[in-house]
Amino acid sequence: MSIVELRQYTLRPGARETLIALFEREFVTAQQAVGITVGGRFRDLDDPNRFVWLRSFPDMARRRRSLQSFYSGPVWREHRDAANATMTDSDDVLLLRGPGFTPAPGTREVLATVCHPTGAPGFDAYAARHLAPRHALHRTEHAENDYPQLPVRTGEDVRVWFGPAEPPPWPTRRLRLEPVTT
């Protein structure tokens, strides 16, 4: 299992396509070059001002090193002002442990569920009945964020999966996502 960031950006009205073009052109390859696995990138179908994406790392130590390399590197320095100009909030980030997720080619819509279960045993029973490996189940990683320049949400325990499933009996947020294709 990898360390995965589920990043949800709130963008300035009309800026999503600008960020996606910049992200795909400059940031995917630059992150991969420093050891970051860039997973699915999505338009939120219910909010035209949201961009959702995942990236993963083998472990927390490599996460820190890779983030330091990317954010101190030439590609970020050159394009950060343009990227930041599209955003009003980039701090909605869940730090998770899981397999990561990239949709299959040709996928038109992905349903992502962020669930706040009240207890591990109950959730494990739910997952055994309703989730399969194809759901790419992720759980909160409770390790300290050792790259504090990029905040992550803390103080909550979530489960995140991709694809339709029986609604769980706990509070959830469902995201309808359109994969970004290049």
Side-chain angles (χ1 to χ4, degrees), residues 84-103:
N84 288 334
T86 67
M87 300 177 208
T88 61
D89 178 32
S90 62
D91 294 346
D92 187 351
V93 179
L94 292 170
L95 189 60
L96 306 166
R97 182 167 293 278
F101 180 76
T102 302

Side-chain angles (χ1 to χ4, degrees), residues 41-55:
R41 282 107 49 214
F42 306 95
R43 293 170 183 90
D44 185 324
L45 290 170
D46 296 317
D47 186 343
N49 300 315
R50 300 274 294 171
F51 175 63
V52 178
W53 65 290
L54 294 101
R55 66 178 167 194

Side-chain angles (χ1 to χ4, degrees), residues 1-181:
M1 293 289 172
S2 299
I3 300 298
V4 178
E5 294 178 355
L6 174 60
R7 307 188 65 82
Q8 301 175 68
Y9 294 170
T10 302
L11 306 175
R12 297 187 189 290
R16 183 164 67 186
E17 295 309 311
T18 301
L19 178 61
I20 288 172
L22 176 62
F23 194 92
E24 295 297 308
R25 185 180 67 246
E26 302 295 342
F27 297 149
V28 172
T29 301
Q31 289 183 82
Q32 291 170 336
V34 298
I36 299 170
T37 300
V38 178
R41 282 107 49 214
F42 306 95
R43 293 170 183 90
D44 185 324
L45 290 170
D46 296 317
D47 186 343
N49 300 315
R50 300 274 294 171
F51 175 63
V52 178
W53 65 290
L54 294 101
R55 66 178 167 194
S56 61
F57 314 83
D59 54 47
M60 289 297 290
R62 284 187 262 186
R63 174 183 177 265
R64 183 184 64 253
R65 286 193 305 268
S66 293
L67 292 176
Q68 286 171 336
S69 293
F70 176 71
Y71 288 106
S72 66
V75 173
W76 179 248
R77 279 196 310 266
E78 181 179 344
H79 299 287
R80 70 178 169 214
D81 292 341
N84 288 334
T86 67
M87 300 177 208
T88 61
D89 178 32
S90 62
D91 294 346
D92 187 351
V93 179
L94 292 170
L95 189 60
L96 306 166
R97 182 167 293 278
F101 180 76
T102 302
T107 301
R108 293 179 176 252
E109 184 175 328
V110 171
L111 180 65
T113 301
V114 179
C115 176
H116 293 79
T118 55
F123 182 83
D124 291 345
Y126 165 84
R129 284 191 312 275
H130 301 291
L131 301 179
R134 65 181 163 76
H135 287 100
L137 178 61
H138 294 73
R139 298 169 186 267
T140 298
E141 170 57 53
H142 292 288
E144 182 178 342
N145 178 15
D146 58 1
Y147 193 77
Q149 297 91 320
L150 294 179
V152 299
R153 288 168 37 188
T154 60
E156 58 188 296
D157 190 38
V158 302
R159 305 295 185 271
V160 176
W161 63 89
F162 299 88
E166 182 71 25
W170 305 283
T172 61
R173 180 168 175 236
R174 293 218 163 153
L175 304 171
R176 289 185 332 109
L177 304 171
E178 175 189 29
V180 170
T181 57

